């Protein structure tokens, strides 16, 4: 029976790394390399690699692989992980009142673009309930106020733990997560926000951008850290606008960008194509 897995590695850069990794995989498990990509950060002296492989070796399973690979990992000071293709991740979507990103993610999941288990949707508004029910995803309405924010977060974390969630996606969830929440899911919470050139903050950024007559609008997806909107960037995109774009057109183009950069980030995370370091990311092909 053929098994497929992805090996992700980062470590100090030195000669012989690629040969050592590939030789181990071939000699130990007679693998077929499906995809291999690497990156060097010359300034920091770091090496990054992603290897996707298939094997029919009878002894291949996660625990035995970890035991066998550990001596090589120790020799080269590797940070590493192995991800098996037959273990789909459990995903939870958080959303408030803007539903364009949620609708896009639900559609992509329904059509098979996302290989994951979409376990539940959490919202502080009722707006998304109909979409959740249409796609047969459990919906949890947890309204947030300043007085009950800590209590609601405790409920949210309990839900995530109950469903063994691997990835949290903030599909335009308009609440700031506490540092304690973020610490519970390091590099496993993805957010999307507008990123205008020039940047505009506040409740109505598209209105502010329109008033300034911007020529470019953009959106950014990133991992969430305790520093608001300062986490490692995963994907960005921009669109050109002109004086012919009225406010509704500007908002539509901005939301299209938000959908695209968020869906790409989710796809790359699910495919194990992202390594994060020094508050930035390596995205493997």
């Amino acid at each position: 029976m053929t098994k497929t897995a992805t090996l992700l590695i980062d470590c100090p850069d030195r000669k012989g790394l690629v040969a050592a990794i590939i030789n181990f995989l071939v000699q130990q498990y007679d693998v077929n390399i499906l995809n291999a990509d690497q990156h060097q950060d010359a300034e920091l002296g770091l090496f990054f690699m992603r290897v996707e492989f298939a094997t029919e070796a009878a002894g291949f399973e996660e625990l035995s692989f970890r035991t066998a690979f550990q001596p090589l990992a120790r020799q080269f000071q590797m940070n590493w992980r192995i991800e098996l293709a037959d273990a789909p991740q459990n995903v939870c979507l958080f959303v408030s009142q803007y539903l364009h990103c949620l609708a896009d993610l639900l559609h992509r999941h329904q059509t098979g673009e996302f290989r994951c288990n979409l376990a539940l949707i959490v919202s502080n508004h009722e707006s998304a309930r109909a979409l959740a029910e249409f796609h047969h995803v459990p919906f949890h309405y947890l309204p947030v106020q300043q007085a009950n924010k800590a209590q609601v977060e405790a409920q949210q974390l309990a839900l995530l733990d109950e469903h063994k969630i691997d990835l949290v996606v903030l599909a335009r969830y308009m609440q700031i997560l506490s540092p304690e929440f973020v610490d519970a899911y390091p590099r496993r919470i993805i957010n999307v926000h507008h990123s205008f050139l020039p940047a505009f903050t506040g409740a109505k950024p598209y209105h502010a951008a329109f008033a300034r007559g911007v020529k470019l609008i953009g959106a950014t997806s990133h991992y969430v850290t305790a520093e608001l909107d300062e986490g490692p960037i995963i994907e960005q995109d921009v669109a050109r606008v002109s004086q012919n774009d009225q406010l509704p057109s500007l908002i539509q183009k901005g939301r299209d960008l938000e959908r695209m950069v968020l869906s790409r980030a989710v796809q790359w995370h699910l495919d194990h194509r992202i390594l994060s370091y020094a508050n930035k990311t390596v995205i493997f092909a």
Side-chain angles (χ1 to χ4, degrees):
M1 180 179 177
T2 302
K3 293 184 179 180
T4 304
T6 301
L7 179 63
L8 291 148
I9 296 168
D10 68 270
C11 61
D13 193 15
R14 56 180 283 189
K15 292 180 179 179
L17 277 167
V18 174
I21 294 165
I22 299 302
N23 285 341
F24 169 86
L25 293 173
V26 173
Q27 292 170 8
Q28 292 288 325
Y29 297 103
D30 190 28
V31 305
N32 177 26
I33 302 296
L34 304 177
N35 182 277
D37 193 12
Q38 67 189 71
H39 171 71
Q40 283 85 18
D41 186 320
E43 183 178 352
L44 296 179
L46 295 176
F47 171 85
F48 306 86
M49 191 172 189
R50 176 186 185 272
V51 185
E52 185 178 359
F53 61 89
T55 178
E56 296 180 356
F60 178 78
E61 54 92 22
E62 184 174 357
L63 183 59
S64 63
F65 183 92
R66 290 183 179 279
T67 301
F69 191 70
Q70 192 56 40
L72 184 68
R74 190 180 303 114
Q75 176 187 348
F76 289 99
Q77 300 176 276
M78 295 178 183
N79 298 310
W80 66 281
R81 70 179 196 267
I82 184 76
E83 303 285 357
L84 304 184
D86 60 358
Q89 299 176 67
N90 295 322
V91 177
C92 175
L93 306 180
F94 276 55
V95 66
S96 291
Q97 296 186 83
Y98 299 117
L99 304 182
H100 54 289
C101 287
L102 175 69
D104 183 66
L105 295 172
L106 288 170
H107 174 72
R108 292 177 187 274
H109 179 262
Q110 185 181 47
T111 56
E113 289 186 39
F114 294 154
R115 188 179 176 277
C116 67
N117 172 35
L118 194 47
L120 69 157
I121 296 171
V122 174
S123 180
N124 58 327
H125 292 275
E126 285 278 12
S127 311
R129 183 180 294 277
L131 261 177
E133 291 176 350
F134 179 82
H135 288 272
H136 307 292
V137 180
F139 180 81
H140 296 266
Y141 169 54
L142 298 174
V144 180
Q145 299 174 350
Q146 192 60 39
N148 72 345
K149 187 173 178 64
Q151 178 185 351
V152 170
E153 278 206 348
Q155 293 176 273
Q156 292 169 342
L157 287 169
L159 280 171
L160 299 181
D161 183 64
E162 175 188 347
H163 291 272
K164 296 180 171 56
I165 295 300
D166 300 296
L167 175 65
V168 176
V169 181
L170 306 183
R172 293 307 305 272
Y173 182 63
M174 310 306 288
Q175 294 288 325
I176 297 175
L177 302 179
S178 71
E180 292 76 19
F181 191 112
V182 174
D183 288 345
Y185 289 87
R187 300 299 188 267
R188 292 191 291 154
I189 306 174
I190 296 177
N191 189 30
V192 63
H193 65 84
H194 61 85
S195 56
F196 289 108
L197 303 175
F200 293 95
T201 59
K204 293 185 175 182
Y206 290 101
H207 294 71
F210 176 72
R212 282 287 303 277
V214 299
K215 307 308 179 190
L216 285 174
I217 60 172
T220 296
S221 56
H222 63 95
Y223 285 120
V224 176
T225 61
E227 294 75 32
L228 181 63
D229 293 337
E230 295 294 330
I233 292 171
I234 303 172
E235 173 66 331
Q236 294 177 296
D237 206 345
V238 296
R240 182 162 292 280
V241 296
S242 73
Q243 67 278 359
N244 295 321
D245 288 289
Q246 298 302 305
L247 181 58
S249 173
L250 204 69
I251 293 174
Q252 178 184 344
K253 289 183 177 181
R255 289 178 177 175
D256 284 344
L257 291 171
E258 291 168 9
R259 281 190 283 259
M260 288 188 291
V261 300
L262 182 59
S263 66
R264 290 172 193 158
V266 172
Q267 184 69 75
W268 295 340
H269 183 97
L270 294 175
D271 288 346
H272 309 297
R273 296 187 181 278
I274 308 172
L275 276 179
S276 179
Y277 76 106
N279 205 40
K280 56 184 177 181
T281 58
V282 174
I283 311 295
F284 292 106

